[in-house]
Amino acid sequence: MDRVALRGLKARGHHGVFPREREEGQTFIVDLVLGLDTRPAAAADDLTKTVHYGVVAEEVVAVVQGEPVDLIETLAERIAQQCLKHEGVEEVEVVVHKPDAPITVPFDDVTITITRSRV
């Protein structure tokens, strides 16, 4: 299976369990790896035979900016399900970064990584 990766998609969302997170929002960063067979697209040099990563990026940002959820696990699942709606995408790895998580000690990042497939 071939891989198309999108790294560092940024969007502001209002996800979290604390009222401040819901009210003020924060930046979330998403990395994706889409698993698909790119041979038909390469052979025909045809965008319609692969995944349009620009469209996927816009959809992922819309999910992050959309309906708030408590957990980044839920957000990652919603993103994965959106990606799997694209014909040809057989699996997806989603990493959601929450670099401004409300943690009281110094840290660089909080992430959740999930892998989902059509199977």
Side-chain angles (χ1 to χ4, degrees):
M1 194 171 312
D2 303 318
R3 304 273 183 245
V4 173
L6 290 90
R7 307 266 189 227
L9 296 171
K10 293 181 185 175
R12 190 158 187 85
H14 293 266
H15 312 288
V17 296
F18 297 112
R20 185 171 148 231
E21 293 178 291
R22 291 293 183 107
E23 293 164 10
E24 297 176 16
Q26 60 193 293
T27 299
F28 292 84
I29 303 166
V30 178
D31 301 324
L32 301 173
V33 179
L34 307 170
L36 64 152
D37 183 357
T38 63
R39 290 175 291 191
D45 197 27
D46 185 350
L47 177 61
T48 66
K49 297 183 184 299
T50 188
V51 65
H52 191 311
Y53 51 79
V55 170
V56 172
E58 291 171 359
E59 292 172 351
V60 167
V61 166
V63 171
V64 174
Q65 293 174 337
E67 181 183 346
V69 296
D70 288 345
L71 304 177
I72 58 173
E73 291 86 344
T74 307
L75 181 59
E77 185 67 34
R78 287 183 178 180
I79 291 168
Q81 295 309 314
Q82 181 62 45
C83 292
L84 289 171
K85 289 180 181 179
H86 288 268
E87 187 177 338
V89 175
E90 295 297 323
E91 72 176 29
V92 61
E93 178 183 274
V94 177
V95 181
V96 175
H97 301 257
K98 189 175 180 180
D100 299 321
I103 297 175
T104 60
V105 297
F107 74 102
D108 289 329
D109 200 4
V110 173
T111 67
I112 177 74
T113 302
I114 66 170
T115 302
R116 298 293 182 264
S117 65
R118 291 184 182 274
V119 180

